[in-house]
Amino acid sequence: MQSTKELSPLLREGKLELHCINIKIWQEDGVELFGHGVIKINKHGVLYLEFICTQNNNIPSVMFSEKLPKDSLDEKEKFYLECETISGDTLKASGFSVEFSLSDRQPPNIKNIILSNLQCEEIEEGDDNFLYFEFSEYCDIPANKSNSETSTLGYESHSWNETVIEMDKFKISIIDKKQYTYCRVTGVFDVEQVFECLKFYIGFTSGSMLQPIFIVKRNKQSQVSIIKSISNIQKRQRSSNPVPSTYGNKRVETDYHYQIFRNIFELYKVKPNFFESIYSQWARVWYSFQSKNSITILTLSVAIEGMLNDVFIPKFKQLGVNDHLDEEILRIKKLISEIEIPTAQIDRLKSSVSYWKNITAAKSLDYLVQLGIISQDEKKSWSKLRNASAHPKTKEMNAASLEKERDNLLLCLNLFHNLIFNTIHYSGPRHYWAVNSTSPLKMLEHNEINEHSKQLLRSET
């Protein structure tokens, strides 16, 4: 495929034009379209194909116009694209839709087809794996390496614009070019695993939802280059960044920041389901902060409950924090059996008592308060927001009530970040938001949930 130096500027500026001389679009045992065209990027950052169809087979019968596939989950209806560019590259795509009309019966005709991505697979010799991706979202990773640049007039300048993170078997370089950022990884590593970890690490700590526009992945002797559609509006959007890149009045030792990536990477290897939970819940919360307050509140409170169900409640169950209730439950059931009431009511009471051992989201938050992982105020804020979003009521909002709602929202956001911090075993400075707060930075010490936690919780019950 064309080199990164050639493609990247065109992608960033939205000036990409890939002229294709042979294009085939098809379904399994279905539609077949042949022709030529040009792949471009529209003003919104979306890839599309201006396709001139010169030949077709198995065109569906339509009255006016119809978009296929009708069922996007049906593999037989799925569309595939393969095209050859004038530079000799073969590009592939799939999972898009095509609109058909009466005019398709008599080619040639023109179609504009939206594409989510384009891939070019190549054979590339190399002992190490390789990952490269570029994005234009805000990036706030502390730099630890200075680089020099020479202008066209011969002037040389120096700037701290690169972050290097050394791992056991691979090295990561994140280079901030002000208008865009690119990341390069070399060594022996699982490309998909490191890619997902880096997207979460950069996004979570910077408050950005990364949209890599150009990606290169190499495993052994196979390399794939990917051009992706993005949303230009999203490039300027940010949410909360809970981890500062500086601490105090000057830049200090920043290994605490790089340790976040190491911990995320280790979590992915050891407990990928935990990683998937915190990443997906963080993504939902990020998008909700670009919307109305009511949507943010609902999404944030549900995301906290989801993380508790996925990560923390299984931990408490594994520790058996409620096992000591077994004898008490049996004793109460025996007493209920002696009550002179109908059998159906006795069975209902016994069933209710059996649930005493269950660990609900609210109960797990009580445990986290007792362990010092979250505060009582944070737990109360979640209860208020969860109940308000689950049972909404019409109410008048004034300045005081809006400030109270915002305070509860910020406390809930701090709780959400506490859960992520605890899952990735983070210790270090963090942002802690509150209404009218003058000191948003705090130091956090990781509190491990283990057998000692079990004894502590039992002693307080």
Side-chain angles (χ1 to χ4, degrees), residues 405-446:
E405 183 182 85
R406 178 167 175 76
D407 193 43
N408 282 327
L409 178 62
L410 291 176
L411 282 169
C412 216
L413 182 62
N414 292 326
L415 189 161
F416 178 70
H417 290 152
N418 280 339
L419 298 183
I420 294 179
F421 284 141
N422 188 267
T423 305
I424 62 175
H425 293 202
Y426 173 69
S427 294
R430 55 82 54 90
H431 286 130
Y432 194 90
W433 289 282
V435 173
N436 300 323
S437 173
T438 57
S439 180
L441 285 178
K442 288 187 177 183
M443 290 299 294
L444 179 69
E445 288 293 331
H446 174 65

Side-chain angles (χ1 to χ4, degrees), residues 18 29 54 69 96 107 148 179 226-227 230 262 274 288 328 332 340 347 358 385 402 422:
L18 297 175
D29 303 321
T54 56
F96 50 89
S148 61
Q179 298 301 318
I226 307 168
I227 300 171
I230 65 168
R262 299 186 185 105
F274 282 13
S288 75
E328 184 69 10
I332 297 298
E340 295 183 0
D347 291 341
N358 281 9
L385 294 185
L402 283 172
N422 188 267

Side-chain angles (χ1 to χ4, degrees), residues 357-374:
K357 195 177 175 180
N358 281 9
I359 303 175
T360 63
K363 187 62 178 178
S364 64
L365 287 176
D366 286 333
Y367 290 154
L368 292 171
V369 170
Q370 292 172 32
L371 295 174
I373 293 172
I374 67 171

Side-chain angles (χ1 to χ4, degrees), residues 277-292:
S277 176
I278 63 174
Y279 191 3
S280 60
Q281 298 296 357
W282 171 80
R284 293 187 183 101
V285 170
W286 188 93
Y287 281 112
S288 75
F289 269 81
Q290 318 307 320
S291 187
K292 294 181 179 179

Side-chain angles (χ1 to χ4, degrees), residues 324-375:
H324 64 292
L325 294 176
D326 288 340
E327 292 184 5
E328 184 69 10
I329 290 171
L330 288 174
R331 187 180 71 83
I332 297 298
K333 283 184 176 181
K334 188 178 293 185
L335 290 174
I336 291 173
S337 299
E338 297 173 359
I339 302 175
E340 295 183 0
I341 56 176
T343 303
Q345 294 182 17
I346 288 177
D347 291 341
R348 190 178 302 169
L349 286 172
K350 285 183 176 180
S351 177
S352 297
V353 172
S354 297
Y355 283 109
W356 287 3
K357 195 177 175 180
N358 281 9
I359 303 175
T360 63
K363 187 62 178 178
S364 64
L365 287 176
D366 286 333
Y367 290 154
L368 292 171
V369 170
Q370 292 172 32
L371 295 174
I373 293 172
I374 67 171
S375 71

